[in-house]
Amino acid sequence: MTGRIVLAATPIGNPDDASARLKDALASSDLVAAEDTRRVRDLATRLGVRIGGTLVAHHDHNEAASAAELVVRARDGATVLVVSDAGMPAVSDPGFRVVEAAVRAGVDVTVLPGPSAALAALALSGLPTDRFCFEGFLPRKPGERTARLASLALEERTMVFFEAPHRLAATLGAMAESLGFDRPAAVSREITKTYEETRRGTLAELAGWAATEEPRGEIVVTVAGREGAAPTVEALVAEVLARVEAGERAKAAVADVAATAGVPSRELYAAVLAARG
């Protein structure tokens, strides 16, 4: 007899956003795997729900071993509920390894949809929503962050990022340097909470605001994609050089950038060699 893995979205701030299905699942699941067991206990209390099954920790530090155990329990017939601290498991939170292991083992996986900080911020941003991509957290090291942003310089879709408050000003400044000081963007914080706020402006304006105000709370940054105008050779060369500086091989970087921009890789490679002296 096979059970199943249930991925459940939890409120990102306001507990009233919890769905009836989430309440039922917390009460009826055989096993509840939580990123932070204290947080899910507190949520259940706020919702007036008693967690009916066994509560276990499933977080970044034990995810590999925990995922295997959760799948075994589901394969043996248990309904295993997976929740993160806020939002949807597996989206910048533990959960992906469980789904990956479940798929390999032929165990059923289902989802209880609900709140999403990324989608909420996208809707609030005032930027195009017809095409977008989720980039999660940028690398913490400046060189790696610059390389990642350089790889996004030609991205035409609206981009959604997560960021910690103490790194926000530096990240917005790096984005302005790599993507353009006049690039439209928005910063949303504390979505659905008492002090919810969304700031809109250019990356340069938002970087200045963040450096002065030092905003707190859960933060999502939304950045407009590149406009359709063809990039200059100088911009393509700069992107390649940034990626090379971060450790990527020049030929691989040239091939990727050229394919994305739709330009001959041989000509771009020659321009890169010339720029390097």
Side-chain angles (χ1 to χ4, degrees), residues 80-114:
V80 178
L81 182 69
V82 179
V83 296
S84 62
D85 288 347
M88 178 60 68
V91 180
S92 283
D93 281 329
F96 167 73
R97 290 184 182 276
V98 178
V99 177
E100 185 181 42
V103 170
R104 285 200 306 265
V107 171
D108 185 39
V109 181
T110 188
V111 64
L112 303 185

Side-chain angles (χ1 to χ4, degrees), residues 10 18 40 42-43 60 99 118 132 162 165 207-209 212 219 238 247 250 256 265:
T10 55
V40 76
D42 180 64
L43 174 62
D60 289 334
V99 177
F132 63 91
F162 287 164
W209 162 74
T212 303
I219 291 174
D256 186 41
S265 59

Side-chain angles (χ1 to χ4, degrees), residues 60-267:
D60 289 334
H61 302 295
N62 74 345
E63 188 175 8
S66 175
E69 176 61 25
L70 296 179
V71 170
V72 169
R73 292 292 302 275
R75 190 178 58 197
D76 290 344
T79 296
V80 178
L81 182 69
V82 179
V83 296
S84 62
D85 288 347
M88 178 60 68
V91 180
S92 283
D93 281 329
F96 167 73
R97 290 184 182 276
V98 178
V99 177
E100 185 181 42
V103 170
R104 285 200 306 265
V107 171
D108 185 39
V109 181
T110 188
V111 64
L112 303 185
S116 165
L119 293 180
L122 176 66
L124 288 168
S125 69
L127 300 174
T129 59
D130 54 336
R131 297 178 65 233
F132 63 91
C133 59
F134 176 66
E135 290 293 326
F137 287 94
L138 288 170
R140 296 186 180 186
K141 294 182 179 180
E144 295 177 2
R145 180 180 61 198
T146 298
R148 176 74 62 80
L149 289 171
S151 72
L152 296 172
L154 303 180
E155 177 60 64
E156 296 182 358
R157 296 171 294 180
T158 299
M159 296 166 279
V160 182
F161 303 84
F162 287 164
E163 191 50 282
H166 64 280
R167 293 196 297 268
L168 180 61
T171 293
L172 290 170
M175 287 177 169
E177 291 280 354
S178 297
L179 305 178
F181 291 94
D182 294 330
R183 183 77 70 97
V187 175
S188 296
R189 69 182 191 91
E190 296 293 87
I191 298 173
T192 76
K193 300 179 184 178
T194 302
Y195 299 104
E196 177 180 322
E197 178 184 23
T198 294
R199 290 266 181 160
R200 304 171 185 85
T202 65
L203 283 171
E205 291 169 342
L206 292 172
W209 162 74
T212 303
E213 298 293 331
E214 299 181 354
R216 299 179 181 181
E218 302 291 332
I219 291 174
V220 185
V221 179
T222 311
V223 182
R226 179 183 66 86
E227 294 185 359
T232 64
V233 173
E234 290 78 9
L236 298 178
V237 169
E239 180 181 352
V240 171
L241 293 179
R243 292 170 66 161
V244 170
E245 185 178 350
E248 191 171 347
R249 293 181 58 211
K251 287 187 176 181
V254 166
D256 186 41
V257 172
T260 302
V263 300
S265 59
R266 181 178 298 179
E267 294 180 12

Side-chain angles (χ1 to χ4, degrees), residues 3-6 28-32 73-74 77-81:
R4 60 178 181 170
I5 301 291
V6 182
S28 63
S29 295
D30 300 302
L31 189 68
V32 178
R73 292 292 302 275
T79 296
V80 178
L81 182 69

